[in-house]
Amino acid sequence: GLAIILVVLWTIPWKGYALWLAARNNHPKWFIALLIVNTFAILEIIYIFAIGRRTAETREGSSSAHSA
C-alpha cells in the first residue's frame, strides 16, 4: 500500500514534466513512449535532462539568431 503510493508520488511529476517537454519540443515518438512505458521515472529523467534539454537549447539558440 504505502510503497505504491510513494512510487506514484515519485513518478507522476516526472512523467508530467517529461510529457509536457516532449510535446513542446515536437517529439511525438518520445511522447508516446513516455506515455506508455512505465519505468519508475527513469526514462522520464533521461529525457528531461538529456534529450529535452538539448532540444530546448537548440531551439532557443535558433530563435535568438533570428531576432538579431
Side-chain angles (χ1 to χ4, degrees), residues 34-50:
L34 293 166
L35 185 63
I36 294 173
V37 177
N38 187 7
T39 59
F40 301 107
I42 295 169
L43 185 61
E44 288 84 355
I45 292 169
I46 291 170
Y47 179 80
I48 290 167
F49 290 108

Side-chain angles (χ1 to χ4, degrees), residues 8-63:
V8 168
L9 290 175
W10 167 258
T11 304
I12 287 177
W14 288 109
K15 184 170 287 293
Y17 182 65
L19 287 169
W20 174 81
L21 194 59
R24 183 173 174 233
N25 289 335
N26 196 23
H27 290 155
K29 291 178 184 177
W30 271 103
F31 185 90
I32 292 168
L34 293 166
L35 185 63
I36 294 173
V37 177
N38 187 7
T39 59
F40 301 107
I42 295 169
L43 185 61
E44 288 84 355
I45 292 169
I46 291 170
Y47 179 80
I48 290 167
F49 290 108
I51 309 301
R53 181 173 286 169
R54 186 175 15 163
T55 302
E57 289 172 356
T58 302
R59 186 179 58 246
E60 289 170 4
S62 65
S63 65

